[in-house]
């Protein structure tokens, strides 16, 4: 049976096919105003695929990558559904705060390539510079840095993802 394990409280929440599970403040620290009442939605489909969607204006991560958002028809940001797999971690706040582990039937056999957006601080003026990297550049950077540096343990880098696969029609011009 599919479920979500709350590392903070040691509780498990069952995932029922086609019934979204909404996680939020009541599942962690009720006094932490950074966590919304409805922070993230997890949906298990009949075919055993699982999707995660950020509902809050505050950031939420899936395996240390910020869940992407898009503009809706009204011009407001809304979360974009991202497929999630067994043993992936959802953190309600970046910095690995309030961890939840997915226990779902579908295992990620080949990691989904993601297109990260890194913000790096310019040493001269302290401004941030957007740098887009493809998966080969990302892999080289990961090999050069330790895992702690890559995850963003310091405040100088933020990792974000797109749900699109690299090389898909959306990215080719």
């Amino acid at each position: 049976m599919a479920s979500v394990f709350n590392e903070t409280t040691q509780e498990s929440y069952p995932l029922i096919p086609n019934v979204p599970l909404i996680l939020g403040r009541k599942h962690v620290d009720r006094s932490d105003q950074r966590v919304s009442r409805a922070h993230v939605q997890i949906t298990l489909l009949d075919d055993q695929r699982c999707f995660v969607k950020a509902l809050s204006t505050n950031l939420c991560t899936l395996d240390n990558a910020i869940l992407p958002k898009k503009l809706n028809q009204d011009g407001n940001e809304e979360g974009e559904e991202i497929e999630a797999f067994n043993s992936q971690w959802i953190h309600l706040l970046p910095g690995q705060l309030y961890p939840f582990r997915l226990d779902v039937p579908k295992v990620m056999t080949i990691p989904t390539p993601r297109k990260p957006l890194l913000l790096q601080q310019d040493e001269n003026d302290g401004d941030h510079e957007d740098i887009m990297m493809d998966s080969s550049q990302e892999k080289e950077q990961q090999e050069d840095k330790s895992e702690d540096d890559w995850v963003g343990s310091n405040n100088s880098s933020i990792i974000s993802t797109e749900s699109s696969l690299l090389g898909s029609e959306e990215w080719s011009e």
Side-chain angles (χ1 to χ4, degrees):
M1 176 174 200
S3 64
V4 177
F5 178 72
N6 183 339
E7 182 78 14
T8 305
T9 64
Q10 303 294 305
E11 294 180 76
S12 237
Y13 311 103
L15 287 173
I16 301 165
N18 300 317
V19 177
L21 172 65
I22 309 292
L23 297 177
R25 190 178 305 145
K26 73 178 183 178
H27 298 97
V28 289
D29 181 359
R30 292 181 190 268
S31 65
D32 193 340
Q33 297 295 311
R34 298 173 299 169
V35 179
S36 301
R37 281 177 248 148
H39 203 84
V40 68
Q41 173 182 298
I42 304 167
T43 306
L44 181 71
L45 302 180
D46 285 330
D47 64 3
Q48 302 303 304
R49 291 184 302 145
C50 182
F51 290 89
V52 177
K53 178 180 178 180
L55 299 176
S56 173
T57 56
N58 294 329
L59 300 177
C60 181
T61 64
L62 175 65
D63 278 352
N64 297 315
I66 296 171
L67 289 173
K69 295 182 181 180
K70 61 182 178 182
L71 292 179
N72 63 18
Q73 295 171 344
D74 301 328
N76 298 322
E77 275 191 343
E78 67 179 25
E80 196 172 331
E81 285 191 326
I82 299 295
E83 186 168 9
F85 300 92
N86 189 47
S87 298
Q88 284 191 299
W89 288 90
I90 297 168
H91 292 92
L92 297 188
L93 295 174
Q96 301 185 347
L97 295 174
Y98 307 125
F100 291 83
R101 185 186 69 234
L102 293 172
D103 295 319
V104 296
K106 193 168 179 185
V107 177
M108 184 183 332
T109 54
I110 299 172
T112 305
R114 296 180 179 174
K115 199 162 192 167
L117 173 64
L118 298 180
L119 297 177
Q120 294 184 345
Q121 192 167 8
D122 188 318
E123 294 175 12
N124 297 333
D125 60 7
D127 290 337
H128 287 83
E129 175 184 339
D130 291 350
I131 300 174
M132 294 298 286
M133 297 188 305
D134 64 27
S135 60
S136 63
Q137 290 170 320
E138 176 187 348
K139 187 174 181 179
E140 288 173 18
Q141 184 168 1
Q142 282 177 329
E143 290 170 359
D144 292 340
K145 290 186 171 189
S146 70
E147 184 175 341
D148 289 341
D149 290 339
W150 179 250
V151 170
S153 59
N154 61 24
N155 293 331
S156 66
S157 65
I158 299 173
I159 301 173
S160 180
T161 63
E162 296 283 341
S163 62
S164 306
L165 296 176
L166 293 175
S168 71
E169 293 177 8
E170 290 181 35
W171 290 103
S172 58
E173 295 181 2

